[in-house]
């Protein structure tokens, strides 16, 4: 069996749906990135895999949440995407909003991916972020705190009842921000 066939088999049998050259080098044990890249381009041209963005390769049907977490590392899905799906905000679109070390907006296959920059010190604590199936996603409480932190309090929430005050209190110290504490206390109508 050729190395191209082994590479394609590795990709197609993997539970992952989004790859880069570094991850595939680890998965295949290859140490020749040039040869691996040529093999990837061969499979893209053959229609077996996709190359939706430079350096990113996917199965034909890939997980868009996994794509969001693979574009810039470290990053995790948060903000409007999580809050809309948990019923905290009612008006949201299909943009996958994430928190990362930089701010960018990217479109891939008609899907919008929005990245908002957060202070690197906040990456120390990964509490409130669930890692599952190559997707890192904030809890509703972490997404709420990210939103208040990044918007300087200029945000509106339709329904704060799905949020756990206990979890918010546990996560707040990660942000090390007395101003955020004040904003959250006011928004939640609680004493911290």
């Amino acid at each position: 069996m050729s190395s191209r066939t082994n590479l394609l088999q590795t990709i197609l049998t993997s539970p992952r749906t989004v790859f880069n050259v570094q991850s595939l080098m680890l998965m295949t044990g290859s140490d020749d990135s040039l040869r691996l890249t040529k093999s990837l381009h061969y499979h893209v041209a053959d229609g077996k895999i996709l190359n939706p963005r430079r350096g990113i390769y996917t199965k034909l049907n890939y997980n868009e949440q996994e794509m969001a977490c693979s574009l810039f590392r470290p990053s995790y899905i948060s903000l409007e995407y999580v809050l809309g799906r948990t019923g905290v905000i009612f008006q949201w679109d299909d943009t996958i909003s994430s928190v990362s070390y930089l701010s960018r907006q990217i479109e891939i296959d008609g899907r919008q991916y929005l990245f908002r920059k957060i202070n690197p010190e906040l990456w120390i604590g990964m509490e409130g972020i669930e890692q599952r199936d190559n997707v890192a996603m904030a809890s509703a409480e972490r997404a709420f705190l990210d939103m208040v932190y990044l918007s300087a309090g200029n945000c509106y929430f339709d329904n704060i009842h799905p949020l756990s005050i206990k979890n918010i209190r546990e996560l707040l110290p990660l942000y090390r921000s007395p101003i955020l504490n004040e904003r959250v206390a006011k928004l939640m109508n609680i004493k911290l």
Side-chain angles (χ1 to χ4, degrees):
M1 202 180 313
S2 75
S3 62
R4 282 187 180 158
T5 306
N6 286 339
L7 174 63
L8 184 60
Q9 184 177 8
T10 299
I11 291 171
L12 297 179
T13 59
S14 172
R16 297 181 66 164
T17 63
V18 180
F19 308 88
N20 60 29
V21 173
Q22 293 80 17
S23 67
L24 287 167
M25 286 177 71
L26 288 172
M27 292 171 68
T28 61
S30 172
D31 59 355
D32 187 351
S33 63
L34 184 59
R35 184 174 179 178
L36 186 68
T37 302
K38 285 182 180 181
S39 293
L40 287 166
H41 288 286
Y42 172 83
H43 291 303
V44 169
D46 201 28
K48 303 284 188 201
I49 60 173
L50 302 174
N51 180 208
R53 182 170 168 84
R54 185 175 179 199
I56 301 287
Y57 301 89
T58 68
K59 293 181 180 180
L60 297 179
N61 293 314
Y62 61 89
N63 180 331
E64 292 172 331
Q65 293 177 346
E66 187 179 346
M67 174 66 79
C69 294
S70 299
L71 290 170
F72 302 107
R73 291 182 186 254
S75 67
Y76 61 91
I77 299 171
S78 186
L79 307 165
E80 295 92 346
Y81 188 82
V82 171
L83 295 174
R85 279 148 186 80
T86 55
V88 177
I89 58 175
F90 297 153
Q91 294 183 5
W92 47 276
D93 59 20
D94 283 337
T95 299
I96 298 180
S97 51
S98 300
V99 170
S100 187
Y101 62 92
L102 48 69
S103 293
R104 294 279 188 284
Q105 185 160 356
I106 297 169
E107 181 178 332
I108 298 174
D109 293 334
R111 167 70 83 168
Q112 293 292 321
Y113 297 89
L114 175 68
F115 295 86
R116 303 260 324 262
K117 181 179 179 179
I118 201 158
N119 187 336
E121 291 177 5
L122 298 180
W123 287 100
I124 295 168
M126 294 303 284
E127 293 86 353
I129 300 170
E130 183 180 334
Q131 181 79 35
R132 185 181 38 177
D133 299 329
N134 303 306
V135 174
M137 189 174 303
S139 65
E141 293 79 12
R142 177 89 184 224
F144 169 79
L145 292 173
D146 287 343
M147 182 77 117
V148 176
Y149 178 83
L150 289 169
S151 67
N154 296 325
C155 48
Y156 177 77
F157 302 98
D158 297 300
N159 178 21
I160 59 171
H161 298 297
L163 301 174
S164 163
I165 294 172
K166 176 183 177 272
N167 290 351
I168 288 174
R169 283 188 168 125
E170 289 173 2
L171 292 171
L172 260 174
L174 294 174
Y175 293 83
R176 300 180 205 128
S177 172
I179 295 170
L180 180 63
N181 292 352
E182 291 173 23
R183 290 179 187 145
V184 169
K186 184 177 179 183
L187 283 166
M188 301 291 293
N189 197 23
I190 58 173
K191 192 165 190 134
L192 295 173

